[in-house]
Amino acid sequence: MLKKLTKVKSENQVFHPTHPVKVNSSSTRDILVDPKVGQSFIFGNNITSTVVEIIDGETFRTNNSVYKLEDVQVHIMIDIECLGIEPGAPVLSIAAIRFTLDGQYVDSKDKGFYEKISLKDSLDNYGLKVDSDTLKWWADQDNFKDQLVGGKPLTKVLGALRKFIDKEAMVWGNGARFDLGHIAFQYSLTEHAIPWRFSNERDVRTIVMLNPSIKKDLKFFGTKHDPWDDCIHQILYLTETYSNVTS
């Protein structure tokens, strides 16, 4: 669960912490904190590094200010690469990245989720079928071999994804049925429910249609059809579009 570190008061005293943690601090901006890893994030200029004391698990004190943690609505972008358009095809890889809708926080790669799934396991143990047209399309992509190398058993990857996803998070896919629909089908094969609330599913394309020029004009960085890079790209144009249509 992401938290927002908000200044609640200032103190005219110097404090020498006894239980310090390292955070990024600014006197002019809220700070987004992930308590699970004990690190905070802030975007903007004049970033300074300081030591704060944990007062009671929810409150932090610096030399002259007190900050309190507040809940932040978490959003998760999910992208998959697979060997078929319809559910029932093997999923090769899954990426899931937490972000806030204002764009101030996006998971770095060491904090997000990215796993490859063993194609052999999917074919041998779950009877999934490769779509021939999709396979031909993949044969022309530069990163196809990379998608096929390695991979963990399907149940392990889905179990890890379940642990990563906050039940209260808004979960986004690029299309109402594709990414989330494929993953839901894969969970059904392992006789487990999806790890998010059905009512929290969100569709990137619905927001993009409100101002499609933002996506069209946004440069892509990284490798196309890599789930991590696709997720980052989708977050960038989603948050920019959301800001544009709500401002």
Side-chain angles (χ1 to χ4, degrees):
M1 171 67 71
L2 291 177
K3 303 275 188 173
K4 181 172 69 175
L5 195 59
T6 305
K7 183 184 287 187
V8 292
K9 67 177 180 178
S10 297
E11 298 176 341
N12 295 318
Q13 65 180 37
V14 175
F15 179 76
H16 300 286
T18 56
H19 302 288
V21 295
K22 203 76 168 178
V23 302
N24 289 328
S25 174
S26 168
S27 60
T28 59
R29 297 286 298 278
D30 290 337
I31 303 174
L32 293 177
V33 177
D34 183 348
K36 291 188 295 186
V37 297
Q39 188 176 4
S40 64
F41 304 86
I42 186 166
F43 296 84
N45 297 322
N46 302 320
I47 297 175
T48 59
S49 184
T50 187
V51 176
V52 301
E53 180 212 20
I54 302 175
I55 298 176
D56 59 11
E58 290 292 322
T59 309
F60 298 79
R61 177 163 52 188
T62 65
N63 284 353
N64 58 3
S65 301
V66 173
Y67 296 85
K68 187 173 181 62
L69 287 173
E70 299 175 347
D71 288 339
V72 173
Q73 177 61 63
V74 178
H75 296 256
I76 300 177
M77 183 68 71
I78 294 181
D79 189 82
I80 67 168
E81 301 304 332
C82 58
L83 290 174
I85 297 175
E86 298 295 330
V91 173
L92 298 174
S93 54
I94 302 174
I97 301 177
R98 298 174 302 173
F99 67 101
T100 53
L101 206 48
D102 60 9
Q104 285 199 48
Y105 177 87
V106 179
D107 270 335
S108 56
K109 204 157 191 176
D110 61 325
K111 296 178 179 63
F113 180 92
Y114 176 74
E115 293 286 355
K116 295 185 204 175
I117 299 172
S118 166
L119 178 59
K120 186 177 188 305
D121 178 64
S122 295
L123 297 176
D124 293 350
N125 296 324
Y126 298 98
L128 297 172
K129 304 295 184 183
V130 175
D131 176 71
S132 58
D133 290 336
T134 305
L135 185 62
K136 291 177 183 177
W137 177 87
W138 265 113
D140 293 329
Q141 308 308 310
D142 293 337
N143 62 329
F144 184 36
K145 290 184 178 179
D146 179 66
Q147 288 291 319
L148 296 176
V149 174
K152 298 178 181 178
L154 179 62
T155 53
K156 287 191 175 182
V157 174
L158 294 182
L161 182 62
R162 175 178 297 278
K163 292 179 180 178
F164 177 80
I165 291 180
D166 182 341
K167 191 77 173 179
E168 301 302 323
M170 301 296 172
V171 181
W172 294 79
N174 194 22
R177 297 175 57 232
F178 188 73
D179 300 280
L180 303 185
H182 271 272
I183 293 176
F185 182 82
Q186 305 277 313
Y187 271 109
S188 72
L189 295 177
T190 63
E191 299 181 350
H192 287 94
I194 56 175
W196 58 80
R197 296 187 187 281
F198 180 78
S199 58
N200 286 351
E201 293 184 356
R202 298 291 184 268
D203 174 24
V204 174
R205 291 177 181 172
T206 301
I207 301 296
V208 169
M209 68 177 288
L210 301 176
N211 191 341
S213 64
I214 291 177
K215 175 186 176 182
K216 181 180 178 181
D217 295 339
L218 184 66
K219 182 178 179 180
F220 190 97
F221 293 95
T223 303
K224 291 185 177 181
H225 311 301
D226 172 90
W228 182 272
D229 292 341
D230 284 351
C231 267
I232 292 294
H233 188 63
Q234 288 161 197
I235 290 170
L236 289 175
Y237 66 70
L238 169 67
T239 55
E240 187 174 342
T241 304
Y242 180 81
S243 175
N244 176 266
V245 300
T246 58
S247 61

